[in-house]
Amino acid sequence: AKNPNDGETQLALAEFYYKKGDHASAFDMLKKAFGNPSLSIDNKISILYNDYLMQPNKDEEDKAETYSLAKIMVATHPVEAKAHAIYGDVFYLDKNYDSARVQYRQSLETKKDIFAVWQQLLVCEGELKDYKALADESDKALELFPSQPFVYFMDGVSNLQLKNYKKAADVLESGVNQVADNNGLEIDFYNNLAEA
């Protein structure tokens, strides 16, 4: 009553309502907390991951709540790379790769040096079979992460699909030298190199 906008109190009340079995009141309080700009984004991300994203066998209500909280978080922290990255993860886990890549791209516009976000973006491009975008974005990622074999691999695969055989072979040959202690990835490199 004295401080209705205290984010930590909103979270505590949400937990209190959950323990009482009042799911509707708990979720309402959680939405208030996620819309509270003074509450740390790391707290919000932790809740989304631990209580929603990492839970197996989510039903439709859980999914709807996850989307709702992630959307509120992005609206509250629109220039936070982490907010867009986790929203991308929500879409990614639901196999909505097109919407996921929109969020990953927004995350990278704000902070371009997060390898995990680049990795997820490149995977989305591969899932969507958008080899032109995959080639362009893996080229950008290679400038930032020249020692990451995964980026070379995705760049090589995209160029192979685009029939840029010389570039595919060059990239795959460079990338296979970056692989350490991953026989499966090394075999994938050589298979694609042979095809190129």
Side-chain angles (χ1 to χ4, degrees):
K2 287 181 181 177
N3 191 357
N5 295 319
D6 181 71
E8 295 292 339
T9 305
Q10 290 167 336
L11 286 183
L13 274 171
E15 190 174 340
F16 168 75
Y17 287 130
Y18 273 122
K19 286 181 177 172
K20 268 183 68 175
D22 185 351
H23 188 84
S25 297
F27 189 64
D28 283 343
M29 195 55 66
L30 201 52
K31 287 193 292 189
K32 282 184 185 172
F34 269 66
N36 188 333
S38 68
L39 183 64
S40 151
I41 191 168
D42 292 328
N43 276 355
K44 296 170 186 177
I45 287 172
S46 176
I47 290 165
L48 263 177
Y49 262 117
N50 296 327
D51 296 349
Y52 287 92
L53 294 181
M54 300 312 291
Q55 297 303 318
N57 307 320
K58 290 188 288 288
D59 60 23
E60 289 307 310
E61 184 180 353
D62 289 336
K63 279 187 187 180
E65 288 180 1
T66 305
Y67 275 103
S68 176
L69 292 175
K71 189 174 182 181
I72 291 168
M73 184 174 64
V74 165
T76 307
H77 306 277
V79 294
E80 269 283 356
K82 291 187 240 182
H84 290 285
I86 192 142
Y87 200 14
D89 290 346
V90 170
F91 285 116
Y92 179 85
L93 288 171
D94 211 18
K95 296 184 177 7
N96 185 343
Y97 301 117
D98 202 35
S99 295
R101 77 172 166 176
V102 168
Q103 292 302 317
Y104 293 140
R105 284 173 176 165
Q106 282 190 273
S107 176
L108 292 169
E109 279 178 28
T110 306
K111 190 164 172 41
K112 66 178 183 177
D113 62 345
I114 305 170
F115 177 67
V117 179
W118 279 103
Q119 190 171 8
Q120 289 296 94
L121 174 60
L122 298 180
V123 169
C124 286
E125 301 294 17
E127 292 288 349
L128 292 165
K129 298 185 180 358
D130 188 345
Y131 297 114
K132 175 74 174 89
L134 180 56
D136 292 343
E137 286 166 338
S138 56
D139 280 344
K140 290 176 191 169
L142 270 177
E143 291 174 23
L144 295 165
F145 308 101
S147 62
Q148 289 289 347
F150 175 78
V151 181
Y152 287 91
F153 180 74
M154 297 303 275
D155 197 24
V157 166
S158 62
N159 279 289
L160 184 59
Q161 294 298 320
L162 294 169
K163 299 181 176 22
N164 300 330
Y165 301 121
K166 173 79 170 94
K167 182 172 182 187
D170 290 345
V171 170
L172 290 165
E173 206 164 302
S174 297
V176 77
N177 296 323
Q178 304 291 332
V179 178
D181 301 327
N182 189 335
N183 289 341
L185 182 58
E186 194 172 6
I187 289 167
D188 288 342
F189 263 99
Y190 282 120
N191 283 338
N192 283 277
L193 188 53
E195 194 174 332

